[in-house]
Amino acid sequence: MLRFAPSPTGDMHIGNLRVAIFNYIISKQRDEELIVRIEDTDKERNIAGKDQEILDILTLFNIEYSQVVYQSQNIRFHSAMALQLVHDKKAFSCFCSSEWLEKKKEKAKEQKIAYRYDDACRNLPDELVIDNNNPFTIRITKPDDIITIIDYIKSEVSFEPKDVDSFIILRQDKTPTYNFACAVDDMLSDISLVIRGEDHMSNAPKQDHIRNLLKYGKKIDYAHLPIILNDSGKKMSKRDDASSVKWLLEEGYLPSAISNYLILIGNRPPKEIFDMSEAIKWFDLDKISKSPARFDINMLKHINKEHLKNLEPKELSRYVGFADAEIGKLAHVYLEEAGTTKELRNKIEPIFAKKKIPEEFLESSKIIIQTIKEAPYFEEYADFKKYIMEKSGLKGKNFFKPLRYLLTGSENGPNIAEIYKYLKNYLGEIIK
Ligand code: GLU
């Protein structure tokens, strides 16, 4: 079983979508189920509606999953497992106040050493624990030995016991911390491989340690994906518009192209343009680069253009507000100068909109409009042009410039001869 475990705390980040895509591909390759676990235990950071938004994005990207689990529904299991650890003396009550811990952290900072919990409460006598009315957290006891994580991308990474530390598993309000809930849930769901962002690498030994102390026998494999960098070589953050999947979709990037791009970066695929079903055939986690991938919007645009070119004309026309193969073919021509559906709409809409003709061509435009309105239907542009030229008595730039404005709403663009074949049946709507 694989899992995608998003937190409903904001717009979906492209890094998260990449994680979802990789999980989906591997689940298909291995013929294992993929579940979605909404990690909603951090109530302060949750944003209402973000869970549904994430699920909608997965549907849009054709990422199939077998069920959705809300982590908050597993709280009773988290409590039961914590109780078992306390009972086995593998976890203990910690009465250190936040202020006290904060002071110790400050001190460690002053001394320029990494803060570690000093295990002050680890060996409190039982009677002191029972008699204590102060709020307390539950901490797990730190491991005795080095913990080694085997990772598809990072190979072997070892962690010292002090780096795992005796960390908190239940907060004072007895809600589970992220690492505890995550480790228990992965165990309950019988997860075989965890694919996620490398910002979680340091959590892996903690989660392994929790399961070891719970005597869970199965070893979970990991693949921690390198971060995605922006133009300036920094981690793509909320400040980068392109980090939001929602933004990319609104800008007119197709889900298939975004997936293609996210599978391509930091990878060695056999070809540049592909769809998910092809990727399932050759995708190999071992080929993912250890170093961060760099996000390049121009490359994404290039890929998007190729995906748009591959659409059936009628489907392409839908992206510009029509359901007509001829308009799809027209849009295809405009793909020479547009790379997103938004850019394409900005080219096609003016063709059908009321045109603003520049002053200098007002007079000649009026004549051309009248002539076109009275003209018969012409199959070929050459015949149409010849007729309108003759009847209007206009020629040169006094003919061609206003004609282009009238037909396309723009001063420049593709060859009129090339687009006339798709416009000829709409002249009544275009020339108003
Ligand atoms: N909820 C975590 C996140 O959105 C992912 C945790 C995990 O995959 O283990 O970053």
Side-chain angles (χ1 to χ4, degrees), residues 313-330:
K314 197 159 180 177
E315 206 182 339
L316 182 57
S317 80
R318 286 204 186 93
Y319 285 103
V320 289
F322 291 80
D324 180 332
E326 291 304 293
I327 301 294
K329 288 179 197 159
L330 172 70

Side-chain angles (χ1 to χ4, degrees), residues 4 14-27 34 58 61 63 195 255 258-263 276 279-280 283:
F4 171 54
I14 47 163
N16 274 339
L17 177 61
R18 187 160 175 247
V19 166
I21 292 170
F22 285 18
N23 270 296
Y24 170 69
I25 293 178
I26 301 290
S27 80
L34 168 65
L58 296 182
F61 280 77
I63 296 174
I195 304 175
I258 300 174
S259 299
N260 184 156
Y261 182 66
L262 292 176
I263 297 170
M276 195 90 100
I280 290 170
F283 183 83

Side-chain angles (χ1 to χ4, degrees), residues 93-97 121 124-137 172 174:
S93 309
C94 171
F95 295 92
C96 297
S97 66
C121 295
L124 289 182
D126 287 349
E127 53 278 19
L128 272 190
V129 172
I130 287 171
D131 280 348
N132 204 324
N133 289 325
N134 291 316
F136 62 98
T137 58
Q172 284 185 346
K174 305 300 163 294

